[in-house]
Amino acid sequence: MEQIQDNSEIIQPIFQKLKETFNTHKTKCIKFRKTQLKSLLKGLEEMEQEFHVALEKDLGVTIFSSQMTSTIVTKVEIENQLAHIDEWSKEEYVDTPFVIGPGSSKIIYEPLGVVLVIAAWNYPLYTGIPPMAAAIAAGNCVILKPSEIAPHSSQVMYNLVTKYLDQSCYAVIQGGVEVSKKITTLPFDLIIFTGSPEKGKLVAKAASENLVPCILELGGKSPTIVDKDCSLNVTVQRIIQGRFINAGQTCVACDYVFVHQSIKDAFINEMKTELKNFFGENPQKSNDYSKIVTEFHTQRLKELLKDHNGQVIIGGQVNVDQRYVEPTIILQPQVQSKLMTEEIFGPILPVLTFDNINEVIQFINSRPKPLALYYYGSSSKNKKLLEQQTSSGAIVHNDSLFHLLNPNLPFGGVGNSGYGAYHGITGFKSCCHAKPVFTKSTLNIYPFNIRYPPFTKHKLQTLSLFFKFAELPQRHVVNATLFVSFLVALKLAQKKGYLKRLLEISKPYVEKVWKETNL
C-alpha cells in the first residue's frame, strides 16, 4: 500500500465546502439524516470483508476479533441512533416557574455545525464511525480524520464515506502529523478526539484558540481490584480478556491489578492456566492473539520491561521485527517505575498485592484519574467505598471493557482521562446545542404587570411573595388561580344576573393563557 500523503493544503477547501452546506440547512432534515445513517449501515455490510482485511494488516487481528470489537459493535451504535433519532430530536417542553410566567419554555436540540472526529489507531473503525454517526444523527456535517498509524483501515474508511455518504456533507481527510496539526486549528463547532492524554492536550490547546468545544477520550492507567471473595476463574478470564485483547492496545484495558494478599498465589496460578487456554503454549502462533501496531510501539514496550524491579511471572519475550510482545505478568514492580506511571498500551500486566481496600483507594487517588476502574468481588461495602471515594470515567463490577458497549451509559473520561462523553443519547446530545426557547404571554394585567415602575411597597410585597414560590411550576398556580377566580366571578355574576355576559368576556382570556403557557 502507498504511504498516506500528508498534505495539509486539502483541509481548508473541504472544511469550507461543508460549512457552506451546513448553512443551507440540508443536514437538519430528519429524513435526510436517517437516509445517511442507513446508507452508512449498508456500506458497512457490503465492505465488511475489506475492513477485516485492513484490520488484519494493521493490527494482526482475526476475523472473530474484528467482528466482535469493530464491525458488529459499530453497526449496533448506528442502529441505536437510527432507532431513537425521532425521539431524541423532539422539542422538550419544561416547566416555567410561576414567578416569570405566564409563558412557555422548551429546549430545541439543534446541530452544532461542522464536527471533526479524530479516530485512534487501536480500534480504527470503532473510534471513528460511531462518533461520526452520532454527529450525523444530530444533524451536523462531519469530517473524519483516521489515524495514519493504521493506514489500511484509514483507506477503507475513506472509501466507505466517499462511496456511501453525501460528499457535500461528509468527508474523510487522511494524513500524518502535518494534517493533524493543521486540522485542529480550524474553527470547527466540535472536536471528538480519541487518543493519548499527551495528544489530547495538544488538540485541546489548538481548539481553544477558536473556543471549539471538545470531547476527549484519552485513556490512562485503569486499575483492577481482585478481592478475596471474588469468583476466581471468572475473574481471571475477564481480566485476561480485558488486558490482552488486541494485544493490550485498548484505552479501557486493565492496566494493573491489585490482588488480595490471601489469594495472590491462587490468582497467579489461575492466570498461568487461563493464558494457556486462551492463547496456547506459543501465543505468537495463536490466531486469537494480535500484533503490536508498529515496530516503534513494540520497541517502546520493550523499554518498559526494563528497570521495573519486579518479578516476571509469565512472558517477557519481545520480537520487534515481528511486532510481537508475549503476554507478560510482572509481580510487585516498583510503583515509581515507568511501568507503573505510564499507560502501558500493550500485553503487559503488573500485579500488586493489598490487605486493606483503603490502601488501594489511597493509591488510586494519588494517581491521575483513570478512564475505568474494575472491581472483582462480592463485598457490597467495598463496592460502595470505591464508588464513593474514587473518581474514574466509569466503575465496573465483575467485568472488564464491556460497559462501553451499553448505549444507555455515557462513555468518557474525567480529569487526565478526558472530558465529555458519547454513545447513545449522550453522544447525540453532545453533538447538539440545547437551545432554550422562552415565549412570554402578552397578558399584562395584575399581578403580571407589577414588575414595572413606579414601584410601590405593595408591589415589592407581592414580588417577594412570588419569589418565595419561585420554583413552583406555573401550570399549578395558573390552573388553581383560574379555577378559583372563575368560581368567585361566577358566583358574583350569578347574583347580579351577568352570568352569560361573564362567560362571553372571560372565554378569550382563558383560552389565551391556556395556549401561551402550554398548559
Side-chain angles (χ1 to χ4, degrees), residues 6-269:
D6 198 16
N7 181 12
S8 61
E9 294 181 3
I10 65 173
I11 301 172
Q12 183 64 42
I14 294 174
F15 173 77
Q16 191 59 41
K17 181 179 74 172
L18 267 61
K19 203 77 173 172
E20 291 171 0
T21 299
F22 181 75
N23 289 334
T24 67
H25 310 293
K26 180 178 183 178
T27 59
K28 291 183 178 180
C29 172
I30 300 295
K31 184 179 179 180
F32 175 81
R33 303 183 207 178
K34 287 181 177 180
T35 299
Q36 296 304 303
L37 290 173
K38 289 175 182 177
S39 186
L40 192 58
L41 275 174
K42 180 184 177 183
L44 284 167
E45 291 283 354
E46 294 180 356
M47 296 179 65
E48 185 167 2
Q49 186 58 35
E50 293 178 52
F51 276 109
H52 293 328
V53 172
L55 289 165
E56 195 280 328
K57 289 179 179 178
D58 288 332
L59 292 153
V61 300
T62 63
I63 289 182
F64 176 82
S65 180
S66 173
Q67 289 176 325
M68 185 175 74
T69 63
S70 292
T71 54
I72 291 176
V73 292
T74 296
K75 291 175 194 173
V76 169
E77 288 278 350
I78 300 170
E79 288 164 353
N80 180 256
Q81 295 287 335
L82 263 173
H84 297 284
I85 188 172
D86 289 320
E87 173 192 351
W88 295 343
S89 301
K90 285 181 180 177
E91 297 178 350
E92 180 182 338
Y93 282 89
V94 295
D95 285 329
T96 302
F98 171 67
V99 71
I100 65 167
S104 66
S105 302
K106 66 181 179 182
I107 300 169
I108 296 175
Y109 293 99
E110 65 177 16
L112 294 169
V114 181
V115 174
L116 171 64
V117 176
I118 304 177
W121 54 259
N122 58 330
Y123 293 95
L125 183 62
Y126 189 59
T127 60
I129 300 302
M132 184 181 194
I136 292 172
N140 300 283
C141 290
V142 189
I143 291 177
L144 171 62
K145 165 60 178 72
S147 173
E148 72 279 8
I149 297 176
H152 299 90
S153 301
S154 176
Q155 184 61 46
V156 178
M157 283 193 282
Y158 174 85
N159 296 341
L160 170 71
V161 172
T162 303
K163 182 176 180 181
Y164 290 92
L165 296 183
D166 189 321
Q167 293 183 59
S168 70
C169 306
Y170 315 107
V172 172
I173 294 179
Q174 300 186 86
V177 174
E178 293 306 312
V179 166
S180 297
K181 283 162 51 177
K182 175 66 177 178
I183 202 167
T184 54
T185 65
L186 271 62
F188 284 94
D189 297 284
L190 175 68
I191 296 176
I192 304 174
F193 171 82
T194 303
S196 69
E198 291 71 30
K199 297 290 176 58
K201 290 173 186 177
L202 295 176
V203 170
K205 184 177 181 180
S208 69
E209 293 296 322
N210 293 302
L211 296 179
V212 177
C214 296
I215 298 172
L216 304 178
E217 191 273 281
L218 305 180
K221 295 187 74 66
S222 296
T224 299
I225 301 156
V226 179
D227 218 338
K228 59 186 176 182
D229 57 358
C230 73
S231 176
L232 190 59
N233 181 257
V234 171
T235 296
V236 167
Q237 287 183 341
R238 292 177 183 177
I239 289 175
I240 289 175
Q241 185 177 54
R243 171 72 275 184
F244 299 106
I245 191 172
N246 202 28
Q249 299 166 114
T250 305
C251 59
V252 286
C254 313
D255 208 80
Y256 62 93
V257 172
F258 268 105
V259 61
H260 196 277
Q261 179 67 42
S262 65
I263 62 167
K264 179 198 72 175
D265 292 338
F267 175 78
I268 294 296
N269 290 332

Side-chain angles (χ1 to χ4, degrees), residues 10 15 23 70 108 113 136 176 197 208 219 247 299 329 342 354 383 400 415 424 429 444 455 498 508:
I10 65 173
F15 173 77
N23 289 334
S70 292
I108 296 175
I136 292 172
S208 69
Q299 183 63 42
I329 297 175
E342 297 180 4
F354 76 98
K383 288 178 184 177
S400 301
K429 291 192 173 180
N444 206 33
F455 296 116
Y498 297 139

Side-chain angles (χ1 to χ4, degrees), residues 219-223 364 367-373 391-394 412-414 417:
K221 295 187 74 66
S222 296
I364 292 170
R367 303 289 176 112
K369 295 177 181 179
L371 188 56
L373 188 156
S391 179
S392 57
V414 60
S417 58

Side-chain angles (χ1 to χ4, degrees), residues 231-386:
S231 176
L232 190 59
N233 181 257
V234 171
T235 296
V236 167
Q237 287 183 341
R238 292 177 183 177
I239 289 175
I240 289 175
Q241 185 177 54
R243 171 72 275 184
F244 299 106
I245 191 172
N246 202 28
Q249 299 166 114
T250 305
C251 59
V252 286
C254 313
D255 208 80
Y256 62 93
V257 172
F258 268 105
V259 61
H260 196 277
Q261 179 67 42
S262 65
I263 62 167
K264 179 198 72 175
D265 292 338
F267 175 78
I268 294 296
N269 290 332
E270 195 72 19
M271 288 290 287
K272 291 177 180 177
T273 300
E274 288 301 330
L275 274 169
K276 287 182 181 178
N277 289 338
F278 271 52
F279 307 119
E281 292 288 343
N282 186 354
Q284 191 170 9
K285 295 182 179 179
S286 171
N287 291 328
D288 298 310
Y289 192 67
S290 303
K291 295 179 181 179
I292 304 304
V293 67
T294 64
E295 292 180 10
F296 170 82
H297 284 277
T298 311
Q299 183 63 42
R300 178 187 63 81
L301 292 167
K302 185 177 181 179
E303 294 301 314
L304 285 181
L305 289 172
K306 300 176 181 178
D307 303 323
H308 54 70
N309 293 328
Q311 180 185 358
V312 178
I313 300 295
I314 302 170
Q317 298 300 311
V318 178
N319 188 319
V320 175
D321 292 339
Q322 296 183 22
R323 294 156 47 200
Y324 171 73
V325 177
E326 187 180 8
T328 301
I329 297 175
I330 299 173
L331 184 63
Q332 296 295 144
Q334 188 179 42
V335 294
Q336 296 306 323
S337 64
K338 287 185 177 181
L339 194 67
M340 286 300 299
T341 56
E342 297 180 4
E343 184 177 10
I344 296 170
F345 226 68
I348 304 167
L349 183 63
V351 176
L352 306 171
T353 60
F354 76 98
D355 289 310
N356 190 307
I357 193 69
N358 292 315
E359 303 168 15
V360 181
I361 291 172
Q362 186 177 2
F363 183 90
I364 292 170
N365 289 340
S366 70
R367 303 289 176 112
K369 295 177 181 179
L371 188 56
L373 188 156
Y374 303 109
Y375 173 80
Y376 288 88
S378 58
S379 170
S380 298
K381 178 184 176 183
N382 287 349
K383 288 178 184 177
K384 187 62 68 176
L385 280 172
L386 289 165

